[in-house]
Amino acid sequence: MSKEHTSVTGALNESELVYTKVDAVGGVVKSLQASFAAGAMRNIEYRKQQLRAFLQGLREERKALYNAVFYDLHKSNVETELFEVGAVEYEIGLFLENLDKWARPEGRKLGSLQPAFLLSKAEVRKEPLGTVLVIGAWNYPIRILLLPVVGALAAGNTVVVKPSELSPHTAVVVERIITRYMDPEVIRVVQGGVNETSELLKNKFDHFFYTGGGTVGRLVAHAAAENLAGVTLELGGKSPAIVHADVEDLVPTATRIMWSKLDNAGQVCVTVDYLLVHRSIKDRLVPLLVDAAISMFGRTPQKTEEYGRIVNTRHWQRIMA
């Protein structure tokens, strides 16, 4: 099996990705819990300061992020900008623009008109949860990891960030950004694999974010349930595209389907996994799908700089089995 069919070997010195010591994981979580209890993120202006620092780090390390994602997944700079870095920048800008409004208490009508409540009023107050864990995924190692981080910080939480060890170049750059530009009292990175993640899940968090497969998703959900904590799971699935007989122009249909399927070499949670096509148009659609793929990446896509790569040998073998 050639490297053309697997991930690109990058310039990362393996010693640069240093796994967090398992016996140090608990201390990281406790320090962030203490910071939250001390009110480190209660002040909205300080939250915005952290978001601006985050934005500065992304912009100053943009080239490093491009290179890291290329080494991990062979994504082009355009793809990384559109779907990774640009998405996080937009999210930060959205929160900076609206945070004051979103954090403001909202008045509510009383649910009862009993005389005892006539002198009362009700409002919804936006209170931070506490310390949040964000476990990222390797297929979109910036977007999936950092979008929840932006929201968690803006909401006033302290955050533990766990990048995927399967995209090591990006994990190194993300840790560098967080370490250099942000307050370690409110956000820390834990690097590692199964052992380090398992140790993280032994700790009490106030909310869990996880994107990935169902096996680990069940473990995360179990850890959340034990602490009566909230959990946000994005576990992907099998997504069909349905093409019915009443489609008049199949050329744009084929282009859209193949763009969706071939983006990031198909390593997308909600990519098109299979087609349900009306039998009367099947024979016309299939060659158009082939033409669309060739028009995007040529007849030898493994030789193009624009086409992604499967993240590692194990996943390549899984797909080809």
Side-chain angles (χ1 to χ4, degrees), residues 16 39 76 85 111 114 164 167 204 228 236 239 244 249 253 283 288:
E16 292 182 50
S76 68
V85 182
Q114 296 181 45
S164 173
S167 49
K204 181 183 183 302
L228 295 179
S239 308
H244 203 33
D249 188 353
T253 300
D283 291 340
L288 292 175

Side-chain angles (χ1 to χ4, degrees), residues 3 6 10 154 238 282 312:
K3 290 179 182 177
T6 59
K238 293 297 180 182
K282 184 195 75 170
N312 57 31

Side-chain angles (χ1 to χ4, degrees), residues 19-317:
Y19 281 16
T20 305
K21 293 181 179 179
V22 171
D23 58 7
V25 169
V28 171
V29 178
K30 285 182 172 60
S31 69
L32 291 172
Q33 290 170 335
S35 296
F36 178 82
M41 292 289 277
R42 299 292 296 183
N43 185 285
I44 291 178
E45 287 304 315
Y46 189 68
R47 300 181 204 175
K48 290 194 285 187
Q49 178 183 328
Q50 287 300 298
L51 292 178
R52 293 188 188 100
F54 202 178
L55 186 60
Q56 179 184 357
L58 289 172
R59 288 173 172 172
E60 294 184 2
E61 296 283 355
R62 183 180 242 98
K63 181 62 176 176
L65 288 168
Y66 287 169
N67 290 338
V69 177
F70 179 81
Y71 288 137
D72 285 331
L73 291 155
H74 202 271
K75 287 187 187 180
S76 68
N77 290 355
V78 171
E79 191 173 344
T80 298
E81 178 60 33
L82 285 175
F83 299 114
E84 302 263 21
V85 182
V88 180
E89 282 191 336
Y90 176 82
E91 191 83 351
I92 293 173
L94 197 64
F95 275 102
L96 288 173
E97 182 179 350
N98 295 284
L99 185 54
D100 289 320
K101 178 177 66 177
W102 290 343
R104 206 175 292 143
E106 296 179 3
R108 289 289 188 270
K109 290 183 178 180
L110 291 170
S112 172
L113 296 178
Q114 296 181 45
F117 296 118
L118 289 178
L119 298 178
S120 302
K121 66 177 183 178
E123 66 179 19
V124 175
R125 295 184 178 180
K126 319 296 179 58
E127 297 289 339
L129 282 173
T131 300
V132 170
L133 172 63
V134 180
I135 303 176
W138 50 263
N139 59 333
Y140 285 89
I142 299 172
R143 179 194 188 100
I144 288 175
L145 179 67
L146 298 185
L147 284 180
V149 170
V150 172
L153 290 171
N157 303 287
T158 55
V159 185
V160 175
V161 181
K162 168 60 181 69
S164 173
E165 73 280 10
L166 299 186
S167 49
H169 300 81
T170 311
V172 167
V173 179
V174 166
E175 181 175 17
R176 187 165 75 223
I177 291 171
I178 290 173
T179 302
R180 288 183 180 179
Y181 292 87
M182 306 187 73
D183 184 353
E185 295 296 313
V186 301
I187 183 168
R188 300 276 296 276
V189 175
V190 169
Q191 301 278 22
V194 173
N195 293 337
E196 292 75 16
T197 303
S198 298
E199 188 66 24
L200 271 172
L201 294 179
K202 294 177 184 177
N203 290 269
K204 181 183 183 302
F205 289 95
D206 299 285
H207 198 89
F208 296 75
F209 290 91
Y210 171 74
T211 299
T215 301
V216 178
R218 290 183 181 90
L219 298 176
V220 174
H222 184 267
E226 285 192 333
N227 293 293
L228 295 179
V231 58
T232 302
L233 301 176
E234 199 274 278
L235 305 179
K238 293 297 180 182
S239 308
I242 301 171
V243 187
H244 203 33
D246 59 356
V247 178
E248 294 182 1
D249 188 353
L250 288 173
V251 174
T253 300
T255 301
R256 291 164 187 160
I257 289 171
M258 293 311 294
W259 177 86
S260 170
K261 185 58 187 174
L262 298 178
D263 176 50
N264 199 24
Q267 300 168 118
V268 185
C269 302
V270 291
T271 192
V272 177
D273 285 289
Y274 60 97
L275 301 180
L276 299 174
V277 182
H278 196 279
R279 65 187 61 184
S280 66
I281 61 171
K282 184 195 75 170
D283 291 340
R284 287 193 293 132
L285 178 63
V286 171
L288 292 175
L289 293 170
V290 175
D291 290 344
I294 293 173
S295 70
M296 293 176 196
F297 300 109
R299 295 185 179 278
T300 53
Q302 65 269 34
K303 295 181 180 179
T304 180
E305 290 296 307
E306 286 74 34
Y307 190 61
R309 298 293 187 272
I310 302 304
V311 67
N312 57 31
T313 301
R314 178 171 65 85
H315 279 283
W316 168 259
Q317 292 171 339

